[in-house]
Amino acid sequence: MSSRRTVLGRIRAALADVPRDETPDQVGVVRDYLRSHAGHDVVGLFVERVADYGATVVRCAPDEAAGAVAAALERHGARRVIVPEGFPAGLLPDGDWGWVRDDPPLGVTELDAAEGTLTTAAVAIAVTGTVVLDAGPGQGRRALTLVPDYHLCVVHADRIVPDVPDALGGLDPRRPLTFVSGPSATSDIELERVEGVHGPRTLDVIVVESRGAGA
Amino acid sequence: MSTGSDGRVWLGTPAFPKAARTALTDTQLRRNLRHATSTIRAKRLQAVEELTDFEALREAGSALKRRTARHLDRYLEQLERSVTDAGGTVHWAADAAEANQIVTRLVRATGEREVVKVKSMATQEIGLNEALAEAGITAYETDLAELIVQLGEDRPSHILVPAIHRNRAEIRDIFQREMGAWGRAAPRDLDDGLESLTEAARQHLREKFLTARVAVSGANFAAADTGTVVVVESEGNGRMCLTLPETLITVMGIEKVVPRFTDLEVFLQLLPRSSTGERMNPYTSTWTGVVAGDGPQAFHLVLLDNGRTDVLKDTVGRQALACIRCSACLNVCPVYERTGGHSYGSVYPGPIGAVLTPQLVGVGQAASLPFASTLCGACYDACPVKINIPEVLTHLRAEVVEGGRQGLRPPTAEAVAMKAAAAVLNSPRLWRMAQRAAAVGGGVVGRGGRVRRLPGPLRGWSNARDTAVPPRESFRDWWRKNREGGG
Amino acid sequence: MRIALFITCFNDTMFPGTGRAVLRVLERLGHTVEFPQEQTCCGQMHVNTGYRRAAVPLVARFAEAFAGYDAVVTPSASCAGTVRESHPLLAGLGGAGLPDAVAAVAPRVYELTEFLVDVLGVTDVGAHFPHRVTYHPTCHSLRGLRLGDRPLRLLRAVRGIDLVELPRADACCGFGGTFAIKNADTSTAMLADKMSDVLNTGAEVVCAADNSCLMHIGGGLDRLSAGVRTMHLAEILAATGGQRP
Ligand code: SF4
C-alpha cells in the first residue's frame, strides 16, 4: 500500500467522530475581526511603521522621486545598482550611474558584487509597515532584492493598503511573494534584536504621492 | 547531536522532574532564561494589545484550524493537486524513517553532497540531519540559533530561539572554536558584541548560500486551494535557501495545511505578534510550485505523518495539532522559565511539548511530561489559536493513570492512595474519622502547629516548606457543636 | 435566597477558620447560610492528577448534597472552577441522571468574591483591618474564574487597610496541587520568586482566594521565619476589630 493511501486512511479512521456528511463550511469560522487597524491617514501610518523597523523612509511628490532616489543612493554610497526589468524610467535619476540589468540573468557572483537594488513594490501594508514584492515589473526575480546588501524600494502611495487582509486579497498567490518588513534582523542571541543578518542590511523606502492625495 | 532512533524524543533523557533538578542548579541557564523570557513577554504583550480585536483573530484562527483538522484528508488531497498543477512534486511519508529516505533519495538524485537548511521543527523531529549524515550528505543549518546549536553540538531548547540557553559569551566561544571546521572561520579577534557575532554568522554562511544547489526547508503554512507554501522568518537565511538553490525540498507536517490562501490574513496577524512580538516579521516568503526563471526549478513537498494521525484520533488531544509554533506558551510558562527546554527531552519543549510529545510518541514513552505543569493556564491565555493546553494536560494525565490501570504498569503507591482517598471522601462518616485521625497525628508530630519534615514522596515538599498541622477541630465538627448543638 | 456553604475538604480539615469567616461575612450582610453535612470534596485533586474515574462518585455526591440551593458559596477559586468546568464533563462518565443533576447545580456555584460582588452587589462588607496587606491572585482566580479586580475592590473597601500591589502578581506561585510533590524542585524555584516578590512589598499579610496556594507560600515563608503571614481573603473581610493578623 502506498504511503499516500496509508496516511489518508489513518486520517479517515482518526476522524470517525466527524459525521460523514459534514462539509468544511459547516465548521463555522466567525470572521468578526477588523478588516483594518489603520485610521484615515494610511500613508502616514505606513511611513511611521516602516520607520519603526529602523528603515529610512522619505515622502515625495512624483516630480521629486528621481531626486529622492539619487539622494538615497548617494547617502548609501551605492553606484553599481541593479534595476529590474520594467522599473519606471522616469524614476531613474540622470547622471553617471552604474545601472545593472538582469538581462541576461545575473549570476550569484554578479549579484553579490552589486551595491544595491532599486525596485518598486506590488503592494504595501500600512499597519505592519510591510512592502510586498511579487516579482512583477520593476521588482524582478527574488534573488535581486536578496543578495545585494542594500534595497531601495519606491512605493506609490496608491499601492499602500491599510492592513493585512486587503493586501492578501489583492495579491496573486501564483507569483512568488516576499513580504519585507524592515531590514533583515535576528533576535536569536539573548532575544535582543540586531539588524542585518543575511538579507539586505539596509532598507530605504521612498513613498511617492501625487499632490492632493495622501496626507 | 545524539538523538535516539526516534528523533522526537531524545532517548536517555531522564524523566522531567530529574532533568529539571539538574537544570535548576545551572545558574547561568537560569539567568539567561529569566532575561530572555521576561524580554519577550513584554514585547508580545505590547504587540497583542495593539490590536483591539486580537480575541476575534484568535477565535478565527482556532476555528480555521478546527475546520482543517476535521477535513484534513480533503485539504491534503486538494493541496497535492494544487502543488502538482503548479509544477511541484508531492511525496507522502508515514513516519520519520520514510521521510528521511525520501529526502535522502531526492538529494542523491541531484548528485550533491551538501544541503543548506532553513530552521524547521519537522526536520528536527525526524532527525533528518543525522539521517543525511549517514548517507554522506552534510546539512548546514543557516538560522543563527540553529547554527549555534549545530556548531556547539547541542540540542535546541526553544521553538523560536533554539539557543536561548546560551548567552553571548558562550556563543562567541562556540563560533571561535567551531566555525573553522565547518567552513569560513570566525575572526581571531571576535568579541561578544551582538553585532560582531551576527556579522561572523553572515560571513560564515554567505559562501554556503552562494554555492548551495539543494535546500531543505519546513513550512509554516500551505494553502490547499492554491498550493502556496509559506515560510515566516527574520534573518533572510530562509529567503536565501528558498531562492538561490536549484532544488528545494520542503518537509511539512500534515497539520500545516490551511484551507485557503486568504486565510493567511488571520495567521499572518497572529503569528508574528505572538512569536517575536513584532507587527510583522522581517521576511515572509510564499511560493507556488515552480516559477520559470525565478528560484528553484525543482520543488518537492514531503507531507509528514509521523504520529500526527494518532493525535488526530484523540478528540480532546487533537487541538494540539492547531499549533502554529509561535512559542508564546513557552515564553509565558513559569515552569519553562526555570527549567529551560532540555528538561522536556524532546524537540518540542514547554507547554506545547508537554501535550504534543506524549501524543506523538505515546503517553507511556513520556509519562512525566503531562505532569510538568502547575495548570496555571498562562499558556492557554497566550496561545494565538486557543489550544486549551491545561485541558489536554489533564486529559493526558488520565491517560497515563488509566494506562497503569489497564495493567500496562503495576499500580503505584499513588494509585492506591488516590483510590483510598476517593473511597473516604465519598463517605462523610469515614471522612470525619480521617480528619480526626489527621488532627491527632499532626498534634503528635507537629511543634507549634508546624511540621518540618514529611516522609516518603512528601519529602521534596517539606524540604522547603513547613506544613501546617490540622487544627483539633474540623469545620464540620465546629458546625455540629456550635450551630446544631450536636457533637 | 437559600445559600449553602461549600467549605471544601481541604479547608474543612486544615483551615476551618476560613469557613467561619465566610459565615461571619455573609451573616453580617443579613443572610442565612446552611452547611449540608453530606458534602465532602469536589474531586479536584483526583481530576487534576489523572484519576478522573475516581472523581465521578464525588461529582454525584456534590450534585446531591447541594441540590435545591439558590447559591453555593465556596472560599476556593480552584474548587469553584472544578465544579463549574470539570463536573459537567465528568458527569458523562456517571449514571444516567448525573448530567442533569450537575447541570442544575454547577452554574449556581460561586467563589466568595464573585458571590459578594456579582450576586449580592456589595464591595464594602463592613470590615476593619489596619494592616499592610498584599493580594496574590491565584491562577485559578485570575485565569480560571477570571475574578478580575473583584477581590481588590473588596479589599480596597476594608477600613484601615494598607493594600500594596504585588509585583509580577500574575505569576504562578508553583503550587499546582500534586505538582508541588511530583516536581518539588521546580515548584520550590517558583515559590522562591513569589516569596521574594511578597517580601519586597513589605506587607505583613499576603492574602488570596485559595488556601491551597497560601499553604504553599506560607509554608515557605514560615521556613524562612520571614515575618509575613498568609490569610485567606475571607478572614480579612470578616475582621472588624483591630485584631492582630
Ligand atoms: S501551542 Fe499555541 S502558544 Fe504554544 S507554540 Fe503552539 S500556537 Fe504558540
Side-chain angles (χ1 to χ4, degrees):
Chain A
M1 194 157 70
S2 78
S3 291
R4 182 180 188 281
R5 278 180 58 195
T6 309
V7 175
L8 287 169
R10 286 179 188 167
I11 293 172
R12 286 175 190 131
L15 293 171
D17 61 302
V18 177
R20 276 175 171 275
D21 55 353
E22 181 182 287
T23 63
D25 289 343
Q26 286 171 309
V27 188
V29 177
V30 179
R31 294 182 191 263
D32 58 358
Y33 48 87
L34 301 172
R35 300 303 297 172
S36 164
H37 298 89
H40 291 299
D41 182 12
V42 171
V43 177
L45 182 66
F46 173 72
V47 167
E48 178 195 313
R49 295 283 160 94
V50 173
D52 268 1
Y53 292 121
T56 313
V57 208
V58 175
R59 297 170 79 155
C60 68
D63 57 355
E64 300 161 354
V69 168
L73 293 176
E74 247 147 43
R75 198 173 52 238
H76 197 75
R79 299 200 75 83
R80 284 186 45 76
V81 175
I82 298 171
V83 179
E85 175 76 33
F87 187 85
L91 290 175
L92 287 178
D94 296 333
D96 181 23
W97 298 88
W99 306 131
V100 181
R101 306 283 171 179
D102 188 34
D103 182 23
L106 301 163
V108 279
T109 335
E110 295 154 297
L111 289 173
D112 201 25
E115 290 163 343
T117 303
L118 173 60
T119 72
T120 58
V123 166
I125 309 171
V127 166
T128 59
T130 304
V131 294
V132 187
L133 308 174
D134 72 351
Q139 300 162 54
R141 60 194 173 101
R142 286 172 283 173
L144 303 189
T145 49
L146 175 61
V147 181
D149 200 17
Y150 174 58
H151 179 197
L152 174 58
C153 186
V154 184
V155 179
H156 270 276
D158 59 11
R159 291 291 172 99
I160 304 174
V161 298
D163 212 338
V164 176
D166 287 319
L168 285 171
L171 288 163
D172 179 354
R174 286 168 305 182
R175 311 184 71 98
L177 304 174
T178 309
F179 294 65
V180 178
S181 308
S184 151
T186 183
S187 303
D188 277 356
I189 305 176
E190 299 181 12
L191 276 169
E192 270 179 46
R193 186 179 159 103
V194 186
E195 269 149 35
V197 196
H198 307 296
R201 281 182 283 192
T202 311
L203 172 70
D204 283 353
V205 177
I206 296 172
V207 179
V208 183
E209 314 170 74
S210 309
R211 302 221 187 274
Chain B
M1 191 193 292
S2 61
T3 49
S5 58
D6 182 326
R8 293 166 296 190
V9 280
W10 296 318
L11 299 181
T13 307
F16 186 85
K18 191 154 176 245
R21 197 174 307 142
T22 312
L24 288 166
T25 59
D26 184 340
T27 50
Q28 170 117 58
L29 173 75
R30 295 285 299 275
R31 181 178 155 263
N32 293 353
L33 283 169
R34 197 180 313 137
H35 171 72
T37 53
S38 60
T39 309
I40 191 76
R41 280 181 203 174
K43 278 174 75 181
R44 185 193 72 88
L45 215 57
Q46 202 180 1
V48 161
E49 280 171 358
E50 191 175 279
L51 300 190
T52 48
D53 62 335
F54 202 74
E55 208 37 52
L57 283 166
R58 288 176 79 207
E59 278 297 344
S62 166
L64 280 167
K65 285 289 189 175
R66 191 163 50 243
R67 174 182 284 176
T68 309
R70 289 177 73 88
H71 297 280
L72 190 58
D73 51 339
R74 171 192 308 235
Y75 288 124
L76 287 173
E77 286 180 305
Q78 191 188 6
L79 176 69
E80 180 184 40
R81 275 195 304 277
S82 311
V83 169
T84 310
D85 288 350
T89 310
V90 175
H91 309 259
W92 300 71
D95 55 26
E98 191 179 12
N100 288 332
Q101 277 159 19
I102 293 170
V103 178
T104 307
R105 180 164 47 76
L106 291 171
V107 177
R108 279 207 171 126
T110 67
E112 292 295 312
R113 308 199 64 91
E114 296 188 343
V115 300
V116 284
K117 277 189 71 203
V118 198
K119 178 171 146 27
S120 140
M121 299 302 298
T123 59
Q124 272 173 31
E125 174 191 319
I126 60 177
L128 177 66
N129 291 7
E130 293 76 10
L132 288 175
E134 271 168 39
I137 299 163
T138 311
Y140 295 105
E141 292 291 351
T142 65
D143 172 81
L144 178 52
E146 291 290 1
L147 176 70
I148 297 165
V149 168
Q150 187 174 43
L151 293 177
E153 290 185 27
D154 202 351
R155 288 169 176 173
S157 67
H158 190 278
I159 296 176
L160 175 72
V161 274
I164 197 173
H165 56 291
R166 300 284 198 188
N167 66 20
R168 58 188 84 191
E170 295 173 280
I171 293 165
R172 188 204 80 101
D173 292 348
I174 291 170
F175 278 10
Q176 199 134 55
R177 202 174 56 229
E178 305 292 342
M179 269 185 173
W182 288 79
R184 184 175 168 146
R188 279 176 177 281
D189 56 350
L190 181 66
D191 62 51
D192 66 1
L194 297 183
E195 268 86 19
S196 314
L197 295 173
T198 307
E199 176 65 19
R202 179 184 173 96
Q203 296 301 337
H204 177 75
L205 287 172
R206 193 107 186 142
E207 55 159 337
K208 301 266 187 288
F209 289 135
L210 299 187
T211 55
R213 300 179 64 182
V214 182
V216 176
S217 85
N220 291 94
F221 309 99
D225 62 341
T226 59
T228 308
V229 184
V230 184
V231 163
V232 174
E233 54 133 354
S234 295
E235 296 169 9
N237 62 311
R239 290 178 70 191
M240 290 282 181
C241 293
L242 301 172
T243 310
L244 297 182
E246 286 153 21
T247 302
L248 171 62
I249 305 165
T250 299
V251 182
M252 180 187 110
I254 50 175
E255 80 284 14
K256 294 276 170 259
V257 64
V258 297
R260 299 155 65 98
F261 176 73
T262 47
D263 292 333
L264 294 170
E265 70 184 27
V266 175
F267 298 111
L268 289 185
Q269 293 192 74
L270 289 173
L271 179 55
R273 288 180 194 262
S274 302
S275 181
T276 49
E278 293 167 302
R279 296 186 180 109
M280 194 63 98
N281 49 289
Y283 300 131
T284 295
S285 297
T286 80
W287 70 97
T288 304
V290 169
V291 181
D294 190 345
Q297 294 302 295
F299 169 54
H300 297 273
L301 180 63
V302 182
L303 298 174
L304 175 73
D305 177 353
N306 203 32
R308 285 163 176 74
T309 45
D310 292 328
V311 185
L312 191 66
K313 209 181 300 170
D314 185 325
T315 52
V316 178
R318 180 182 292 168
Q319 55 185 312
L321 293 178
C323 174
I324 57 175
R325 310 275 188 267
C326 74
S327 72
C329 59
L330 281 67
N331 298 331
V332 300
C333 176
V335 174
Y336 178 89
E337 180 190 345
R338 278 137 186 120
T339 64
H342 293 158
S343 306
Y344 294 82
S346 151
V347 295
Y348 299 107
I352 183 61
V355 295
L356 202 52
T357 307
Q359 295 198 82
L360 286 173
V361 303
V363 285
Q365 299 300 306
S368 68
L369 288 183
F371 298 91
S373 164
T374 62
L375 305 177
C376 83
C379 47
Y380 181 27
D381 263 20
C383 178
V385 286
K386 299 192 81 161
I387 301 173
N388 190 337
I389 294 176
E391 178 188 26
V392 183
L393 286 169
T394 344
H395 173 73
L396 294 175
R397 289 177 182 188
E399 305 258 294
V400 172
V401 166
E402 281 156 22
R405 182 167 321 141
Q406 284 156 18
L408 299 176
R409 286 181 298 281
T412 56
E414 177 193 281
V416 173
M418 283 288 178
K419 206 174 158 202
V424 170
L425 285 164
N426 198 24
S427 155
R429 189 180 61 82
L430 291 177
W431 174 232
R432 228 174 130 206
M433 284 165 55
Q435 284 180 313
R436 286 181 177 167
V440 170
V444 171
V445 297
R447 296 224 177 95
R450 298 269 142 192
V451 184
R452 285 181 75 88
R453 298 186 71 81
L454 291 169
L458 297 173
R459 210 171 16 194
W461 159 275
S462 69
N463 277 345
R465 302 157 193 82
D466 286 354
T467 307
V469 164
R472 294 228 158 265
E473 192 175 56
S474 70
F475 181 83
R476 69 183 61 226
D477 282 349
W478 174 86
W479 177 277
R480 282 204 188 191
K481 211 185 291 169
N482 294 281
R483 295 296 174 99
E484 299 191 344
Chain C
M1 180 162 43
R2 277 190 76 202
I3 304 171
L5 170 67
F6 170 43
I7 180 67
T8 82
C9 62
F10 179 68
N11 287 322
D12 185 5
T13 313
M14 300 295 294
F15 297 95
T18 300
R20 291 193 289 272
V22 174
L23 292 182
R24 270 208 298 287
V25 172
L26 293 177
E27 287 168 359
R28 195 160 69 215
L29 294 169
H31 299 277
T32 304
V33 181
E34 297 174 45
F35 181 75
Q37 305 264 343
E38 291 300 300
Q39 66 174 282
T40 53
C41 166
C42 67
Q44 181 187 174
M45 179 180 70
H46 287 90
V47 177
N48 287 353
T49 314
Y51 297 81
R52 58 187 164 196
R53 276 170 216 287
V56 175
L58 300 176
V59 172
R61 162 167 298 280
F62 186 96
E64 205 180 299
F66 291 104
Y69 287 96
D70 299 309
V72 180
V73 181
T74 181
S76 164
S78 60
C79 296
T82 298
V83 175
R84 294 216 299 251
E85 277 160 36
S86 302
H87 281 201
L89 300 172
L90 291 167
L93 302 173
L98 192 53
D100 286 345
V102 168
V105 171
R108 295 169 197 268
V109 174
Y110 301 94
E111 183 278 332
L112 175 66
T113 68
E114 288 179 316
F115 184 69
L116 291 170
V117 176
D118 300 351
V119 181
L120 300 183
V122 293
T123 47
D124 185 349
V125 298
H128 176 62
F129 191 74
H131 301 280
R132 190 170 170 96
V133 175
T134 194
Y135 167 71
H136 166 59
T138 67
C139 300
H140 286 103
S141 315
L142 190 69
R143 288 173 285 264
L145 296 185
R146 305 216 174 261
L147 293 185
D149 67 349
R150 291 179 187 83
L152 287 170
R153 280 157 68 194
L154 290 158
L155 284 169
R156 279 188 211 115
V158 172
R159 272 166 278 286
I161 198 167
D162 176 13
L163 189 64
V164 281
E165 196 183 322
L166 180 65
R168 296 187 293 178
D170 62 346
C172 175
C173 70
F175 177 59
T178 47
F179 177 83
I181 297 162
K182 288 181 192 281
N183 284 283
D185 302 282
T186 308
S187 170
T188 301
M190 293 160 72
L191 171 62
D193 289 341
K194 184 56 75 182
M195 290 196 295
S196 134
D197 288 336
V198 168
L199 292 173
N200 280 332
T201 64
E204 18 173 347
V205 174
V206 52
C207 74
D210 237 314
N211 273 328
S212 48
C213 301
L214 285 177
M215 178 181 74
H216 165 79
I217 299 170
L221 291 168
D222 282 351
R223 174 64 54 93
L224 300 182
S225 301
V228 184
R229 64 172 289 174
T230 51
M231 272 177 92
H232 193 283
L233 182 73
E235 291 165 26
I236 293 177
L237 298 180
T240 47
Q243 296 107 320
R244 295 182 64 80

